Amino acid sequence: MSDKTSRRDFMRVITATSLTPYLPKGPAAVSPAESSGMEDKQRTSPAASPEFFPVAVWYSGGKARAPMLEPVNASSPERWGKDLDKIKAVGFNTVKCWVDWATAEPSPGEFDFKNLNLLLSLAHSRALRVIVQIYTDSAPDWVGERYPDARFVDRSGAVINSEAAPGYCMDDEAVKAEIVKFLTALSKDANRFPALYGWDVWSEPHVVNWADFPYLKNPEFCYCRYTQARFRRSLQAKYKTLAALNAAWYRGFSSWNQVAPPRFPTILSYTDYLDWRAFITDKLAADLKTRVMAVRADDHVHPITSHAAAPGLFTWPTDGYGEPDDWKMAANADFFGTSLYPKHAEMIHPLSYHQLAAGLDFERSAGHSLGKGFWIGELQAGQGVTGMRIAAPVTSHDLAFWMWQVVAHGAREIAIYAWYPMDSGYESNGYGLIHLDGTLTARARRAGNVAKVIARHAAELNQAEPAPAEVAILYNRLSYMVGGSEPSLSKLGNAERDSLLGLHRVFFDQQIPVDFVSAQDVRDGRISAYKILFLPYAVMLSKHVAEGIRRYVEQGGAAVAEARLAWNNARGYASELIPGLGLSEVFGGQEKLIRPVANPRLRVTGSAGLPDLIAGQTFLGYAFEEDLKPAPGTRVLARFPGGEPGMIEKAHGRGKAILIGSFAGLACERRQDGSTARVLLSLAKAAGVSKGVEVSGSATAVEVRRLVNPAGQVVFVFNHSPKPARAAMRISVPWTVGAARDWVSRQPVSFKQEGHEVILERALTGNQIWIVGLKAGS
């Protein structure tokens, strides 16, 4: 992946309390008032059944690639029926079809849902469920003719004429009303069919989708008059008065009508840019809510979802096309999820298993604090193709591994993209599960077999959650914005992403579960269950997050931060002291001097007293040495070669705060030196973090994940090495194990139990995946 990863170079790499809640364990929770008017088929729909886990393949009738649709003709029922028979026979229980606005409403108010109706009918007769993907980015031409001012506008002033995509800006209230009318009609129509399982109302959300503009330099959207007016309204709500806005932006507006989003950086304040990026993030979340509520108007039963182009961990929040905040999106749908293309044609390298695990933990975490699960909106089925850029083939093992990884991370649905390869466009013949002539592949058979195993254990999966994490890592979008719209001001590349990846890797390698937490989670106090909170590359923070960190430590938590903590506030202004925003008091010191160093190194002091570390032991930082000035009562844990304090610890309230005067997370990811990892693990151990799994033997590349519930555990074992390995796994359980069974072979598995630990031993073949169900004894 490149340093500036966005939807283009990665993939080619408002809590809505009025929503019907969908429990992360699977069944829908519907109030008696809501259910009283439902048809019987809705009240008994398997969509609400804990016995059903949807494993879908993308198919919408014939071979047309999404979002295009094949015209229905007299041969369609037979041809589509044969395809669905094959999908069912392979092992899938669900298909994910699509509806594009241009086809479904060819003229205003004239709705044509015959493709969807036929597919829903054919699926029902085969006991298949259907998830409906909606594309409003593919807008009818009449929308542009009726509302020409709703065309997207780049910051250069270039007006985008839609050419099948990207559609029109829904900040025009008239366009928004048309979209809501279409979605409401679609929802009402589809709810007549019992095969309906759920909805995906927005595929890979951005301000502008499905189009690139190589003739524009660094495009950014949207600067149409409607978006500018909406931006002004958001500023009026935030600042209340024009005088307050002028003070914040260092401007001299005499009228709100003069206020416009920034188009270029200056050497002065960039508070205007920060407001603009926050607005775009909130706009995407609100636009998702609009779509969700439009479908919900006629559907009080089925889950309504959306999915990102990639986990936000791998994207850049300042991308001009608009990148969603996965936490805010999750708050506005029953589930939010992601596309997952580990071998996409336009990625520089395939995702490593470390990166895949981090991305899935990230996406899972976005809904976790809200009690929600996540869906995989698209999972790569076949070889990536973009013109003559052709990726390495997707193997049967790849697909099985990806599916089981998704399940092991707690996903509640999988939708494999796609049944047929793409039949047109620059992705022609790519990403298919079967061949374009309809013959099956070994991948299809392997994926179907995995789907069958999942179906057998749907109830267990829907009632289980990933093993709880005691370690939290802050995902802080403000850190991407130091310097405003001038990312060249940072020589560290995507330092936030790599810091997150590095910290995740430290604990992943030791089988220690990790959650990512958002700034909102910290602000709202949803982090009290964690024993330690890491604050990587937190160079820009809001005062509310700083206050949340203070509360967390005072209430007994351990916080670990890095150099230049809260250097800038949420307006982009420098703090008088570093750490800023009052955190110098919490962390017991302040920055004395910072200097760039090629390979910073710190030495553990004799008084550190950290578990598993000895005095004189050295470890790496990254990019800078920040000499620290400890306050009275602060302990020095490590020093730089010149003797200056480089890591300090301060007791504060019932907890403690540790400050490292360099970038440890970056060192772990970019240097991959075990010395830094050992220090971070020692800090976690000192905070009381324990391992739920211990792996020994010759297994050097074995990953163990667990899903847990009061009556059992599911243990997923992945040998990431092509070489055989013998693994002994000690797994924590709170009860006596009554039985252990291999989920794939259905054979009993031998085990030993010592107190609250069960021991499994296995000779693993190269790249083997082993799934064991543990059940509590009576």
Side-chain angles (χ1 to χ4, degrees):
M1 287 176 287
S2 63
D3 276 335
K4 187 170 181 180
T5 308
S6 70
R7 69 183 179 98
R8 296 181 300 287
D9 53 13
F10 174 81
M11 290 310 302
R12 297 181 256 182
V13 237
I14 343 189
T15 301
T17 55
S18 59
L19 298 184
T20 304
Y22 282 80
L23 301 178
K25 293 181 180 178
V30 183
S31 70
E34 289 173 319
S35 64
S36 61
M38 297 179 191
E39 299 176 18
D40 289 341
K41 65 96 179 175
Q42 290 178 316
R43 288 200 301 269
T44 60
S45 169
S49 170
E51 307 295 327
F52 187 83
F53 187 112
V55 183
V57 64
W58 281 65
Y59 176 80
S60 206
K63 299 178 181 180
R65 65 149 301 158
M68 301 164 71
L69 288 169
E70 177 183 288
V72 175
N73 59 36
S75 69
S76 297
E78 181 180 359
R79 290 187 295 106
W80 297 10
K82 288 180 179 178
D83 283 341
L84 291 173
D85 288 338
K86 193 176 292 186
I87 289 169
K88 176 80 171 180
V90 164
F92 296 100
N93 58 18
T94 305
V95 292
K96 187 169 186 177
C97 70
W98 55 89
V99 176
D100 76 296
W101 186 16
T103 301
E105 193 179 359
S107 60
E110 179 187 325
F111 300 109
D112 181 359
F113 301 130
K114 60 177 173 287
N115 288 68
L116 177 62
N117 291 172
L118 176 57
L119 191 75
L120 284 164
S121 296
L122 294 171
H124 177 59
S125 67
R126 290 158 174 81
L128 286 167
R129 308 309 308 279
V130 177
I131 298 168
V132 181
Q133 177 69 65
I134 305 171
Y135 292 105
T136 56
D137 313 274
S138 177
D141 289 337
W142 61 260
V143 177
E145 294 171 2
R146 181 175 282 191
Y147 311 108
D149 287 349
R151 291 174 295 175
F152 291 107
V153 179
D154 172 48
R155 62 177 166 182
S156 68
V159 178
I160 306 301
N161 292 310
S162 185
E163 300 172 3
Y168 302 92
C169 185
M170 68 184 298
D171 290 336
D172 180 344
E173 289 293 329
V175 170
K176 178 179 175 180
E178 297 285 5
I179 290 173
V180 168
K181 181 176 67 175
F182 164 67
L183 294 175
T184 303
L186 175 60
S187 176
K188 183 175 182 180
D189 182 86
N191 266 277
R192 298 181 296 120
F193 296 87
L196 179 65
Y197 181 85
W199 301 90
D200 190 323
V201 296
W202 201 357
S203 174
E204 303 181 350
H206 295 89
V207 175
V208 168
N209 243 0
W210 315 125
D212 286 314
F213 312 99
Y215 59 90
L216 296 175
K217 183 179 180 180
N218 298 325
E220 187 165 324
F221 299 97
C222 177
Y223 287 77
C224 74
R225 64 187 180 96
Y226 301 108
T227 302
Q228 293 199 49
R230 186 174 174 182
F231 179 50
R232 282 192 290 272
R233 291 194 296 272
S234 75
L235 295 172
Q236 288 173 313
K238 177 178 180 177
Y239 290 106
K240 310 302 181 186
T241 68
L242 196 58
L245 175 68
N246 282 330
W249 283 21
Y250 198 71
R251 301 293 289 276
F253 300 117
S254 59
S255 165
W256 280 104
N257 290 332
Q258 297 173 336
V259 179
R263 297 174 189 261
F264 55 85
T266 73
I267 200 171
L268 307 178
S269 164
Y270 57 92
T271 305
D272 54 353
Y273 178 76
L274 294 172
D275 283 336
W276 172 240
R277 296 317 312 173
F279 163 76
I280 291 296
T281 300
D282 290 341
K283 165 183 153 52
L284 288 168
D287 289 351
L288 173 58
K289 182 177 181 179
T290 294
R291 289 168 164 85
V292 169
M293 298 310 291
V295 172
R296 182 61 74 213
D298 273 278
D299 189 337
H300 303 286
V301 172
H302 303 101
I304 303 176
T305 72
S306 173
H307 69 276
L313 174 62
F314 300 121
T315 63
W316 196 285
T318 61
D319 184 79
Y321 286 70
E323 286 291 346
D325 180 332
D326 293 355
W327 271 259
K328 290 190 175 185
M329 302 300 272
N332 284 283
D334 297 321
F335 299 95
F336 190 67
T338 187
S339 290
L340 197 63
Y341 289 86
K343 285 188 172 181
H344 200 284
E346 296 200 20
M347 290 169 61
I348 296 173
H349 303 290
L351 285 182
S352 69
Y353 64 85
H354 285 105
Q355 291 170 324
L356 179 66
L360 288 171
D361 272 334
F362 186 94
E363 205 60 49
R364 171 189 58 78
S365 296
H368 173 72
S369 64
L370 300 174
K372 298 182 179 184
F374 72 105
W375 282 24
I376 297 298
E378 303 174 33
L379 177 63
Q380 183 173 357
Q383 188 170 24
V385 175
T386 304
M388 283 303 294
R389 184 179 294 171
I390 301 172
V394 173
T395 67
S396 298
H397 175 268
D398 286 336
L399 195 50
F401 168 62
W402 298 338
M403 292 176 74
W404 282 123
Q405 276 282 313
V406 163
V407 172
H409 280 79
R412 299 307 187 199
E413 173 266 7
I414 305 171
I416 295 175
Y417 190 95
W419 181 245
Y420 281 109
M422 306 299 95
D423 73 329
S424 65
Y426 54 71
E427 293 176 329
S428 290
N429 215 45
Y431 304 101
L433 189 61
I434 67 171
H435 295 300
L436 198 53
D437 65 4
T439 56
L440 291 179
T441 63
R443 289 191 319 281
R445 294 186 180 92
R446 183 76 180 273
N449 288 337
V450 173
K452 291 174 184 177
V453 177
I454 293 172
R456 284 203 307 266
H457 297 279
E460 294 160 81
L461 290 171
N462 285 326
Q463 293 165 7
E465 299 285 351
E470 297 176 331
V471 177
I473 303 173
L474 174 65
Y475 169 63
N476 177 44
R477 287 169 71 92
L478 278 177
S479 291
Y480 292 87
M481 300 182 196
V482 171
S485 60
E486 283 290 323
S488 61
L489 293 176
S490 172
K491 296 181 179 180
L492 298 180
N494 198 332
E496 173 74 1
R497 177 199 66 196
D498 287 355
S499 296
L500 296 169
L501 284 169
L503 278 168
H504 184 275
R505 178 190 293 268
V506 167
F507 295 98
F508 172 90
D509 285 343
Q510 298 299 316
Q511 318 292 347
I512 298 174
V514 165
D515 285 347
F516 293 97
V517 295
S518 70
Q520 193 70 34
D521 290 332
V522 176
R523 174 178 176 169
D524 293 347
R526 294 194 291 260
I527 58 171
S528 59
Y530 300 106
K531 293 183 177 179
I532 193 165
L533 169 66
F534 287 92
L535 308 168
Y537 199 69
V539 293
M540 179 184 282
L541 285 177
S542 75
K543 67 177 182 179
H544 301 294
V545 172
E547 290 165 358
I549 294 167
R550 176 190 289 270
R551 288 195 302 272
Y552 169 76
V553 174
E554 288 175 345
Q555 293 167 8
V560 180
E562 298 182 326
R564 307 238 92 182
L565 175 63
W567 164 38
N568 282 192
N569 64 20
R571 291 180 56 215
Y573 280 65
S575 300
E576 294 181 357
L577 297 177
I578 302 174
L581 302 173
L583 290 177
S584 57
E585 176 189 351
V586 177
F587 284 82
Q590 58 188 260
E591 178 183 290
K592 180 180 178 182
L593 176 73
I594 188 167
R595 56 185 170 272
V597 176
N599 293 293
R601 187 171 289 274
L602 298 92
R603 186 178 299 275
V604 176
T605 66
S607 61
L610 292 171
D612 304 326
L613 298 181
I614 59 174
Q617 189 168 334
T618 63
F619 63 98
L620 296 180
Y622 193 89
F624 295 97
E625 288 181 354
E626 182 188 45
D627 293 346
L628 302 173
K629 180 181 178 182
T634 298
R635 294 199 311 133
V636 177
L637 303 182
R639 296 181 183 274
F640 292 116
E644 295 290 345
M647 182 165 73
I648 59 177
E649 178 186 280
K650 174 69 183 303
H652 184 81
R654 300 200 308 272
K656 59 185 176 181
I658 298 98
L659 183 61
I660 303 171
S662 193
F663 294 113
L666 277 174
C668 290
E669 180 63 14
R670 297 184 181 175
R671 302 281 189 245
Q672 294 189 19
D673 183 286
S675 65
T676 310
R678 286 190 287 273
V679 170
L680 298 176
L681 288 167
S682 176
L683 295 174
K685 187 173 182 178
V689 173
S690 60
K691 291 185 178 182
V693 175
E694 290 273 6
V695 179
S696 59
S698 62
T700 58
V702 169
E703 173 189 0
V704 180
R705 288 200 168 260
R706 296 179 297 145
L707 296 178
V708 303
N709 64 50
Q713 289 192 18
V714 188
V715 181
F716 301 84
V717 182
F718 303 93
N719 181 15
H720 296 300
S721 171
K723 297 179 180 180
R726 181 148 197 99
M729 291 151 283
R730 302 180 71 92
I731 300 165
S732 295
V733 291
W735 25 252
T736 300
V737 176
R741 188 170 296 274
D742 186 311
W743 269 23
V744 176
S745 70
R746 309 193 197 194
Q747 297 300 309
V749 172
S750 61
F751 64 92
K752 300 176 184 177
Q753 185 155 7
E754 297 177 357
H756 289 298
E757 290 185 334
V758 64
I759 302 168
L760 300 174
E761 293 191 49
R762 175 81 175 211
L764 300 167
T765 59
N767 297 124
Q768 184 174 355
I769 303 166
W770 187 39
I771 300 115
V772 179
L774 303 177
K775 288 192 175 181
S778 56

